[in-house]
Amino acid sequence: MAPTSQRIYDAIVVGAGHNGLTAAAYLARAGLSTLVLERREILGGCCVTEAIAPGCRVSSTSYIASMLRPEVIQDLHLADHGLRMVPCDPAIQVPFPDGQVVSWWADRERAKKEFGGISAKDAQEFVRVDDQLKKLARYLQPFFLEPPPEIDTGSLSGWGDLLRVGKRFRSISPDEISQLVTFLTGSLGEFLDNHYESEKIKTMFLANNVYGKHGGPYQPGTAIGLLFHLLSGGEHELQGFYGHVMGGMGAISEAIAAEGRKLGAEIRTSAPVAQIDVRNGRARAVVLEDGSEIRARMVLSNADPKRTFLGMLAAKELPEDFLRAIAGIKMDGPCAKVNMVLAEEPRFRGTSPAATKLERTFYTLVPSLEFAERCYDIAKFGDIPEQLWVDCVVSSNADASLAPEGKHILTCFVQYVPYRLRQGTWDENRELLGDRVVKKIAEYAPNVPQAIVARQVLTPLDLERTYGLTEGNIFHGDLRLEQLFFMRPVSGWSQYRTPIAGLYLCGAGAHPGGGVTGAPGHNAAHQALRDWKKGRLKEAVA
Ligand SMILES: Cc1cc2nc3c(=O)[nH]c(=O)nc-3n(C[C@H](O)[C@H](O)[C@H](O)COP(=O)(O)OP(=O)(O)OC[C@H]3O[C@@H](n4cnc5c(N)ncnc54)[C@H](O)[C@@H]3O)c2cc1C
């Protein structure tokens, strides 16, 4: 197979998701000639804004920016490239079947007052727990932007890693250690039952803490979300930041891409990579689906671990136990998305007539922990729950530029559907899912069904086909303890390197995981650059 061009890039990034773009921008900033190859006709991966009707744009997949690393925002000058985020306030808002709407205001005193109207005891506890969680989250925060330790007591670097972790925790108290273990291993439901009396207050915590992952709220390991969401994010490093992105989530990817291009990176869309070519255990080129070959000194894959190692590499190039571990990563994405254009604004019952547009933007439809647990149980056996948990964002209320005058954008995340259906296929059941989502919304906002002028239903299968997410998993692998930190993507390979020299993983399948953070891209690029500076990769493979 003849190479398409004689040029050898220093680095090729496979995939222009926001992490691939982040990695490319850092590599280009360090002076490396860098090429990004994206299979879709549009860049951004799951951090994208797309038209679903003439003049109507939507964050088709991810829709809220929460943990985008402040360092990435600053290093890559994203504000200079037009990135603007407006804090979600309320950060969470739950309308209950009895007509009451409870809002978790960004200002803690205001939130405490709101919760106090339901339970004075819970409002006090809310402040105490919030302080405790924020303090614990600060211990974890520094790990976000660095490789996890490799547990290898047989090597000097392994001991160095352990020392680095130990130092971070030197001021931790015995009490805090047990709290940390509880959050890492315990269930969200039991934690909430132990601390709060009101079902409504408990539900407020439920709304964002098992987001996108497997397991009902009573499953061990679900309390970890409480800490995860308090890692600081946004321009101003706020703990628990939630933001609406002006122009939709794609504005994040576009801003990163703009900085990358300014630094010299090339970005090609409609360029699907079929294979990563390896010679003598070292990555040497990629082969596109059209058969053309492009050479590089190193390759970073933004695709998920299964797609990368089981799809783009010949099995003979990888150790058997590594392949087995990759094949064993828990994926089968439990989520879906339904995007709509409406002819009128949804009117959620119980919303105060004085509520501003921004306050009429975000509604989470889940009435209780028990509801959520039952919903997961149904989905885990392969059925589409009749009663769905739906997160609704009227994004045109936060950003009027998304739709023409008189039109409104409603983007809905559906928590707990099966990737593998027990009966039938997703192609047969796509509209059934859309209808159930609309029916659920109508219970709270009865004007929605008649107002729909366009509807896009993205089942887990569509997330796989269109966005390239293996098994539709939105995080490139479930966020569960045994798939996090030094176990992500698999044990022994958490530092972005892979068994192939010069091949790195730079997407959400690597530490610290999914979400629009830019962290895996940042960390992988820095790891690759460390190896580059040691001179390991400068010679291209013949
Ligand atoms: C429905 C949904 C809702 C979500 N909601 C939120 C949210 O509100 N907030 C949040 O923070 N996170 C959310 N997430 C999660 C978040 O969007 C992802 O975890 C994150 O965007 C992953 O980024 P990434 O760059 O690592 O990977 P991706 O965005 O998956 O990008 C990988 C890229 O690689 C490309 N690619 C794959 N294979 C090839 C190949 N062979 N050749 C060339 N290119 C290839 C893909 O096309 C894709 O563009 C959501 C995700 C989904 C799907």
Side-chain angles (χ1 to χ4, degrees), residues 164-185:
R164 167 165 64 91
V165 175
K167 273 188 184 163
R168 289 273 154 71
F169 289 102
R170 71 183 153 216
S171 61
I172 198 166
S173 69
D175 258 5
E176 286 172 331
I177 293 177
S178 32
Q179 286 161 16
L180 205 55
V181 172
T182 305
F183 286 119
L184 293 177
T185 59

Side-chain angles (χ1 to χ4, degrees), residues 14-20 37-40 44-47 61-64 66 211 271-273 302-303 307 312 337 413 463 467 469 474-476 507-508 514-516:
V14 180
H18 83 287
N19 276 315
L37 298 166
E38 166 57 44
R39 54 184 268 285
R40 290 196 76 202
C46 306
C47 183
T61 47
S62 63
Y63 55 104
I64 296 286
S66 60
Y211 185 89
V273 172
N302 181 201
R307 192 169 268 263
M312 286 187 252
K337 193 86 192 291
F413 184 78
L463 294 176
Y467 298 93
L469 299 166
I474 74 167
F475 297 138
H476 292 197
V516 176

Side-chain angles (χ1 to χ4, degrees), residues 34-50:
T34 304
L35 172 66
V36 184
L37 298 166
E38 166 57 44
R39 54 184 268 285
R40 290 196 76 202
E41 67 292 349
I42 182 172
L43 58 78
C46 306
C47 183
V48 67
T49 308
E50 295 175 278

Side-chain angles (χ1 to χ4, degrees), residues 76-354:
L76 303 183
H77 312 291
L78 300 189
D80 296 345
H81 296 291
L83 180 63
R84 210 161 68 76
M85 296 189 263
V86 173
C88 300
D89 199 12
I92 296 168
Q93 185 156 251
V94 181
F96 287 94
D98 64 4
Q100 185 178 19
V101 174
V102 183
S103 308
W104 183 329
W105 301 101
D107 175 65
R108 194 166 78 162
E109 278 311 303
R110 196 174 172 198
K112 183 183 165 196
K113 198 163 163 227
E114 173 106 6
F115 295 166
I118 299 169
S119 158
K121 180 173 164 284
D122 284 359
Q124 289 301 335
E125 187 65 355
F126 161 66
V127 172
R128 205 186 62 75
V129 170
D130 191 50
D131 283 340
Q132 181 194 34
L133 286 170
K134 281 183 173 152
K135 192 159 178 230
L136 289 177
R138 281 196 283 269
Y139 285 109
L140 302 182
Q141 174 98 8
F143 293 106
F144 229 65
L145 274 195
E146 61 182 36
E150 278 298 359
I151 306 300
D152 175 12
T153 48
S155 79
L156 213 56
S157 69
W159 279 106
D161 270 358
L162 288 176
L163 201 65
R164 167 165 64 91
V165 175
K167 273 188 184 163
R168 289 273 154 71
F169 289 102
R170 71 183 153 216
S171 61
I172 198 166
S173 69
D175 258 5
E176 286 172 331
I177 293 177
S178 32
Q179 286 161 16
L180 205 55
V181 172
T182 305
F183 286 119
L184 293 177
T185 59
S187 89
L188 177 69
E190 278 159 8
F191 175 81
L192 295 174
D193 289 344
N194 288 339
H195 287 83
Y196 297 99
E197 59 181 17
S198 152
E199 198 56 42
K200 284 182 178 163
I201 302 285
K202 290 182 209 171
T203 305
M204 299 304 289
F205 283 92
L206 169 68
N208 67 352
N209 285 313
V210 287
Y211 185 89
K213 70 188 285 324
H214 275 277
Y218 284 95
Q219 184 163 307
T222 43
I224 198 172
L226 289 164
L227 291 181
F228 225 70
H229 279 98
L230 283 172
L231 301 174
S232 68
E235 211 175 347
H236 304 294
E237 293 197 42
L238 291 176
Q239 279 194 291
F241 174 83
Y242 274 67
H244 299 290
V245 180
M246 298 301 98
M249 294 294 282
I252 296 177
S253 302
E254 291 293 347
I256 302 170
E259 178 67 8
R261 286 194 188 101
K262 193 175 139 197
L263 293 164
E266 260 179 73
I267 303 169
R268 280 189 220 162
T269 52
S270 305
V273 172
Q275 195 194 326
I276 298 168
D277 187 44
V278 175
R279 202 156 293 175
N280 301 326
R282 165 97 193 268
R284 68 174 283 280
V286 300
V287 182
L288 301 190
E289 275 181 13
D290 66 9
S292 55
E293 181 186 274
I294 311 176
R295 301 274 308 275
R297 293 178 174 82
M298 63 165 113
V299 176
L300 288 83
S301 176
N302 181 201
D304 65 60
K306 286 196 181 182
R307 192 169 268 263
T308 302
F309 298 110
L310 308 180
M312 286 187 252
L313 283 151
K316 66 175 170 48
E317 304 294 351
L318 292 161
E320 238 175 76
D321 56 346
F322 175 81
L323 280 174
R324 208 173 305 117
I326 293 288
I329 296 174
K330 172 80 172 168
M331 308 283 265
D332 55 334
C335 313
K337 193 86 192 291
V338 178
N339 299 309
M340 290 179 247
V341 177
L342 305 178
E344 56 183 74
E345 187 188 321
R347 288 191 294 278
F348 283 88
R349 272 201 291 249
T351 303
S352 157

